[in-house]
Amino acid sequence: TGYALEKKVVKSKVGEKVGLPCCHEIPSSESLHNYRVYWQKNTTEVVLAYAEGKMISKHERYENRTEMDTRNLTLWISPVEILDNGPYQCVVQHLRFPQNSVVVCDEPVTLFVTADFSKPNITAEVSTNSCESTEMVVRCSSHGGFPKPKISGALNNVSVVWNASWVSESSLSPYNVTGKLWLNVTKDVSITCSVEHDGLLKSTSLLLKKSNICVVPTVPPSYNVITASSIIIIIFLLAITLAARYLPRHGKCSSFFQE
């Protein structure tokens, strides 16, 4: 349910029920039959109107979403929409005589509508990579909120500025916001994205990891390595040759002693 910040400003979220207070309350000794009541928006659009106790007008956009208290003349709106945002006016006329009416009150009240943004979503895409650093394109997005938000960021708790863009069909439509950053990451860091409207802050953090993939160019073996390898191979071959020549050969004995 909406609530009044001060006498003439009321705040509400989309989907809630909100009451806009009127500047006059009908005394218990009288009834709505003695009055004309007009609830207007932007001083030109009649939300609803009562005369001599009966409803005489209701705007189609507020059909099935509005009702008026017949004693304190509060205008109730449910569910609240973004289009309901703006200034309203309660005009009350007292019918003292059939042909004579006196304006009892005529005061504005502003309805300030908000809609929550989605939790920010952060994505990171590696553009180039080297042994020393990883270059990334980081994006943060949030949608569906109202009014236009602020987007802020921090890299390891140090403030960064997003390259931000906002999209909305009109001044009274939900906003989508996207922020973009180009980062040169030399070590693992934490990036935070925050979206704020009307004092309400939503944040998301993501750990950006420096890639450990490091391509080391292949170096041809040195002359000393080649020489040492050749000597080892030659010694090995000589050892096999000598072993084949001097190891005893096993054969059958050719002479027998006979008595």
Side-chain angles (χ1 to χ4, degrees):
T1 302
Y3 54 94
L5 291 181
E6 28 182 78
K7 275 188 177 181
K8 297 177 183 178
V9 178
V10 176
K11 295 179 80 172
S12 178
K13 284 186 179 179
V14 167
E16 290 183 343
K17 182 177 183 179
V18 67
L20 302 182
C22 185
C23 47
H24 184 75
E25 185 171 343
I26 296 174
S28 56
S29 58
E30 294 185 300
S31 72
L32 194 58
H33 290 80
N34 305 112
Y35 290 86
R36 285 197 199 105
V37 181
Y38 299 92
W39 267 105
Q40 300 173 161
K41 184 170 188 264
N42 298 322
T43 68
T44 55
E45 185 180 296
V46 176
V47 177
L48 56 74
Y50 276 82
E52 299 175 357
K54 295 179 181 179
M55 185 188 294
I56 58 172
S57 175
K58 191 176 216 179
H59 196 284
E60 60 181 10
R61 207 180 68 73
Y62 293 89
E63 197 70 42
N64 301 321
R65 291 198 307 120
T66 53
E67 59 182 353
M68 189 185 77
D69 188 293
T70 56
R71 185 58 63 182
N72 64 20
L73 310 181
T74 295
L75 177 68
W76 290 96
I77 305 174
S78 177
V80 170
E81 299 174 358
I82 290 177
L83 285 172
D84 299 333
N85 190 78
Y88 291 76
Q89 210 161 9
C90 183
V91 181
V92 182
Q93 297 175 342
H94 189 215
L95 306 175
R96 292 183 180 175
F97 304 102
Q99 301 300 323
N100 187 18
S101 64
V102 177
V103 176
V104 178
C105 78
D106 177 0
E107 287 186 15
V109 55
T110 299
L111 175 58
F112 186 70
V113 179
T114 62
D116 286 345
F117 279 84
S118 64
K119 187 176 176 66
N121 181 47
I122 304 176
T123 59
E125 181 182 339
V126 175
S127 55
T128 58
N129 205 8
S130 68
C131 295
E132 292 78 24
S133 65
T134 301
E135 290 186 13
M136 295 182 179
V137 179
V138 183
R139 290 179 176 86
C140 174
S141 60
S142 180
H143 62 271
F146 187 87
K148 184 178 178 180
K150 295 177 182 176
I151 181 169
S152 57
L155 197 63
N156 278 359
N157 297 320
V158 177
S159 179
V160 292
V161 179
W162 294 94
N163 182 10
S165 60
W166 294 264
V167 177
S168 179
E169 290 180 6
S170 71
S171 60
L172 288 176
S173 295
Y175 282 88
N176 296 340
V177 60
T178 302
K180 188 186 285 189
L181 276 179
W182 288 267
L183 296 177
N184 195 14
V185 178
T186 56
K187 61 181 180 179
D188 292 359
V189 289
S190 176
I191 182 79
T192 300
C193 177
S194 301
V195 174
E196 180 184 6
H197 74 292
D198 189 41
L200 182 66
L201 189 75
K202 284 192 174 183
S203 298
T204 300
S205 294
L206 179 69
L207 182 65
L208 303 177
K209 291 190 174 184
K210 180 193 173 299
S211 177
N212 290 323
I213 299 171
C214 187
V215 180
V216 179
T218 55
V219 179
S222 67
Y223 174 78
N224 291 337
V225 173
I226 294 172
T227 305
S229 301
S230 302
I231 292 170
I232 290 169
I233 293 168
I234 291 167
I235 292 171
F236 179 70
L237 292 173
L238 281 172
I240 293 174
T241 305
L242 291 170
R245 179 175 294 181
Y246 292 104
L247 279 176
R249 297 180 182 176
H250 298 283
K252 290 183 179 180
C253 188
S254 57
S255 57
F256 297 90
F257 294 98
Q258 295 180 357
E259 294 183 355

